[in-house]
Amino acid sequence: MTWLDCLRFDPLAPLLSSGHPAVRSWAVRELLPGPAGLPPAPAEAPDEGLWDLPVPRRILRRQAADGSWTYPGRRPRARMEYDLLETYRHLGFLVEMFGLTHRHPALAAAAGYVLSHQSADGDLRGIYGNQVSPNYTAAFIGLLSKAGYGDDPRVERAFSWLEASRQDDGGWALPFRTRGRNLDALEEPLTIPGDPAQPFSHLVTGVVLRAYASHPRYRANASAQKAAELLARRLFEPDAYPDKGRAADWTEFSFPFWMTDIVSALDAISIVRPGLRSEKTDQARDWLAAHQEPSGLFTGHLLRDRYHDLQLWFSLAVCRVFARMPS
């Protein structure tokens, strides 16, 4: 029995015949069975042929000389670095969809810009003003680890900071939220220290776990193993804090991953603890299987469809989860 037997319809056919070269490349490299029906080996080497496709070329044309991308909208909060936020968005497209690595000069320039925002403590600041942000720190270093910066001393410092910034229960939370502060805290000039005795946030912990999953060494850490267990228990539950406080937030999806949903959570869990299976992880897999269309693709409340092919990428992400997790 293979992971395909868990599904009503064949998801590989629409991915392989979609005409989208990047989706097809990832599907061939990660989802097609290996010799003698063995699971496919993880795709380690980049497919540099994807780097010259129209979408990454269009993104790279808008990159600024300092390696950043300029935020296009209104900037309501004076202390937030919106260009850093826009750079995170575009790094996600380039790394997660088209596999750019440190070997591309534009990616190297973007990494330099991002890491210039590292504080003396090791975290990356700016998107939340001077407030500490485990989620955006982890989101950046997860992308940089995938792009070949896993051994960079600055990335190592960021992981060390994440190790030291956990809540007492083993997860992560926004420090200003643990003090009962609202988003007005983002305008505070002084950093608000967190209360480690408060419960973890599954929104934040899910994003941090993605960073650990992206790094071959850190994914084996005891802290990552614990966080995977905590996250698996919280699937479909409201968060402890108001940023994504609805249970329905688990089934609002984007790709590249942004917040924490059942697919992004299972993706990280299936890398960090591939044998982990529980009633809630089964419930999440059943939910996804029930949302497969006769075409073979998966559907749901899909967000941020900037390039009009989000269902393909979402379906690819769902297939990765089913291929990794035990049947």
Side-chain angles (χ1 to χ4, degrees):
M1 183 175 180
T2 72
W3 64 274
L4 292 169
D5 297 316
C6 302
L7 303 171
R8 294 176 296 163
F9 309 106
D10 177 13
L12 294 181
L15 296 177
L16 296 171
S17 64
S18 68
H20 194 303
V23 170
R24 186 169 61 249
S25 174
W26 289 113
V28 168
R29 287 146 51 91
E30 295 190 322
L31 300 176
L32 290 184
L38 295 174
E44 298 293 345
D47 182 354
E48 296 188 7
L50 303 180
W51 299 359
D52 201 38
L53 290 173
V55 170
R57 288 173 62 188
R58 188 160 74 244
I59 293 172
L60 293 174
R61 280 198 298 269
R62 297 198 295 267
Q63 188 179 26
D66 65 355
S68 70
W69 280 264
T70 302
Y71 186 80
R74 190 171 66 91
R75 305 180 180 220
R77 297 189 183 276
R79 291 188 178 275
M80 287 181 61
E81 294 200 27
Y82 287 88
D83 289 351
L84 184 59
L85 178 66
E86 191 69 3
T87 299
Y88 170 63
R89 187 189 315 277
H90 285 93
L91 272 178
F93 294 136
L94 293 173
V95 174
E96 299 283 15
M97 291 181 167
F98 302 102
L100 268 71
T101 72
H102 65 289
R103 295 209 290 264
H104 195 294
L107 204 291
Y113 170 78
V114 168
L115 292 170
S116 72
H117 290 79
Q118 188 165 42
S119 76
D121 295 329
D123 62 312
L124 301 177
R125 296 191 196 177
I127 292 178
Y128 286 164
N130 202 35
Q131 301 310 314
V132 170
S133 174
N135 49 324
Y136 279 113
T137 295
F140 274 120
I141 66 170
L143 290 176
L144 292 179
S145 294
K146 287 187 175 184
Y149 288 91
D151 294 329
D152 188 293
R154 296 165 294 180
V155 170
E156 294 277 359
R157 283 178 54 216
F159 272 113
S160 296
W161 178 84
L162 286 170
E163 286 284 295
S165 65
R166 289 178 294 158
Q167 299 300 105
D168 292 343
D169 57 19
W172 286 266
L174 288 173
F176 70 85
R177 284 298 196 193
T178 68
R179 297 294 182 179
R181 295 294 301 272
N182 294 321
L183 294 180
D184 62 349
L186 304 188
E187 298 289 3
E188 290 279 352
L190 299 179
T191 303
I192 298 169
D195 178 0
Q198 296 303 310
F200 77 97
S201 160
H202 71 239
L203 163 63
V204 177
T205 299
V207 179
V208 174
L209 190 64
R210 297 205 303 263
Y212 278 80
S214 72
H215 199 289
R217 180 158 40 88
Y218 283 101
R219 71 180 59 146
N221 276 21
S223 51
Q225 303 293 304
K226 174 66 173 178
E229 180 183 335
L230 292 173
L231 190 60
R233 288 186 204 153
R234 286 282 282 272
L235 298 173
F236 296 106
E237 300 291 335
D239 203 340
Y241 302 94
D243 300 287
K244 283 286 184 178
R246 306 174 305 151
D249 291 326
W250 284 103
T251 53
E252 293 184 349
F253 307 104
S254 60
F255 192 89
F257 299 136
W258 197 286
M259 301 298 184
T260 298
D261 55 59
I262 58 172
V263 178
S264 72
L266 292 180
D267 182 80
I269 291 168
S270 66
I271 295 172
V272 171
R273 291 191 60 175
L276 179 62
R277 184 172 178 178
S278 68
E279 181 179 347
K280 283 190 176 292
T281 61
D282 285 349
Q283 180 186 356
R285 282 163 36 106
D286 290 345
W287 189 99
L288 293 167
H291 285 76
Q292 188 184 27
E293 299 176 339
S295 68
L297 298 179
F298 296 85
T299 190
H301 185 177
L302 306 181
L303 307 172
R304 293 189 174 91
D305 194 4
R306 179 171 289 196
Y307 293 112
H308 310 294
D309 48 24
L310 180 56
Q311 189 180 19
L312 286 173
W313 288 106
F314 174 64
S315 298
L316 175 68
V318 173
C319 287
R320 285 168 169 158
V321 165
F322 275 99
R324 293 192 200 114
M325 297 195 78
S327 302

